[in-house]
Amino acid sequence: MKDRLVRWLNQFLMVDVFLVLLSFFWLAIAVVGRSIGVPLGLDLWYRLWEPVFTPAIGLLMAGALLSGLASQISKWLNPN
């Protein structure tokens, strides 16, 4: 059961990392587009910041801490 939960958490974090990276690259490209006068969705990115990207970053940080904590507890309980 614990292994399934850890595997699920790791898969979720992997998907979340890609979402956060995709949002960063979208932001970078949209800012460059705005500076040269090409609309590449910066306004849409700003609208999605609070409801999508902020929670994704928070979940990524919390999941990384939780995963690290679970790993340390596992090492502490099974010192092989």
Side-chain angles (χ1 to χ4, degrees):
M1 178 69 178
K2 180 188 75 98
D3 291 333
R4 271 182 85 177
L5 181 64
V6 170
R7 190 175 338 120
W8 181 85
L9 178 62
N10 287 334
Q11 287 177 343
F12 174 76
L13 288 175
M14 185 174 57
V15 170
D16 197 31
V17 163
F18 285 115
L19 174 66
V20 170
L21 286 175
L22 178 69
S23 70
F24 170 72
F25 290 129
W26 179 13
L27 173 64
I29 291 168
V31 166
V32 170
R34 169 77 55 100
S35 70
I36 61 175
V38 178
L40 295 174
L42 187 60
D43 294 330
L44 176 60
W45 191 94
Y46 280 135
R47 283 192 304 241
L48 293 175
W49 171 250
E50 281 296 320
V52 177
F53 302 137
T54 302
I57 293 169
L59 286 173
L60 181 63
M61 290 189 293
L65 290 173
L66 185 63
S67 178
L69 182 65
S71 174
Q72 290 299 319
I73 290 173
S74 178
K75 285 180 185 177
W76 182 67
L77 291 177
N78 300 324
N80 291 338

